[in-house]
Amino acid sequence: MQATKLLHDSDPYDGRLLDELLQAGVLMLDGKQRCCFASPRACAHFGASDEAALLASWDELRAGLDLPDVAALGVGDPPLQRRSDLLTPSGTRKLRFEVHAVNGGGTRYMMLLRDRTAMDGAERAQVEAKGGAI
């Protein structure tokens, strides 16, 4: 047995863990901005039934987001932050997203998605930390 063998499968770049911890949809993009992973929350935000459906429609979704070329983003740079009113077959999705450059092998960019119309646990924590009421 290899002593250094990993005991877990963290591919693709811990997207599943981020989905749980951040309570945001997570997409992982390669160097050509093709989607290589979509968490269940991300699929829901895009109105896709599952990851396969989202991957199959990524080109149209990306165009609908008006996602600029993120190739200039470097690891450690501030993320690209945007809002979008994305038209989907199930209606308009009001999203906000941010794209971070990561050093994850084939994965080059991580996109975090949130629904602009709903307050989630992460936002509640920020409001409570600032002394506000929900």
Side-chain angles (χ1 to χ4, degrees):
M1 183 171 134
Q2 265 185 319
T4 58
K5 185 172 179 163
L6 294 176
L7 298 177
H8 68 289
D9 177 14
S10 60
D11 287 340
Y13 202 75
D14 297 321
R16 291 171 200 83
L17 179 61
L18 290 170
D19 179 58
E20 290 302 315
L21 293 177
L22 299 177
Q23 296 184 3
V26 178
L27 291 178
M28 306 306 281
L29 308 175
D30 67 12
K32 295 182 181 178
Q33 299 178 47
R34 294 177 299 213
C35 185
C36 51
F37 169 78
S39 72
R41 275 191 187 97
C43 294
H45 287 321
F46 283 117
S49 58
D50 57 20
E51 184 179 21
L54 189 143
L55 295 176
S57 61
W58 175 244
D59 290 337
E60 296 87 36
L61 292 170
R62 183 178 177 276
L65 286 174
D66 195 24
L67 180 63
D69 185 3
V70 296
L73 280 179
V75 175
D77 288 348
L80 169 74
Q81 298 179 344
R82 294 277 196 276
R83 292 175 178 241
S84 178
D85 292 338
L86 181 68
L87 297 175
T88 70
S90 57
T92 300
R93 305 287 177 145
K94 294 187 174 291
L95 301 173
R96 65 178 181 221
F97 62 92
E98 57 186 61
V99 181
H100 299 261
V102 295
N103 185 7
T107 302
R108 295 287 180 232
Y109 308 99
M110 172 180 58
M111 178 185 284
L112 304 175
L113 298 148
R114 292 183 187 258
D115 180 346
R116 292 189 346 240
T117 64
M119 182 176 282
D120 61 19
E123 290 171 314
R124 283 188 191 92
Q126 288 178 3
V127 170
E128 289 175 4
K130 294 177 182 176
I134 297 177

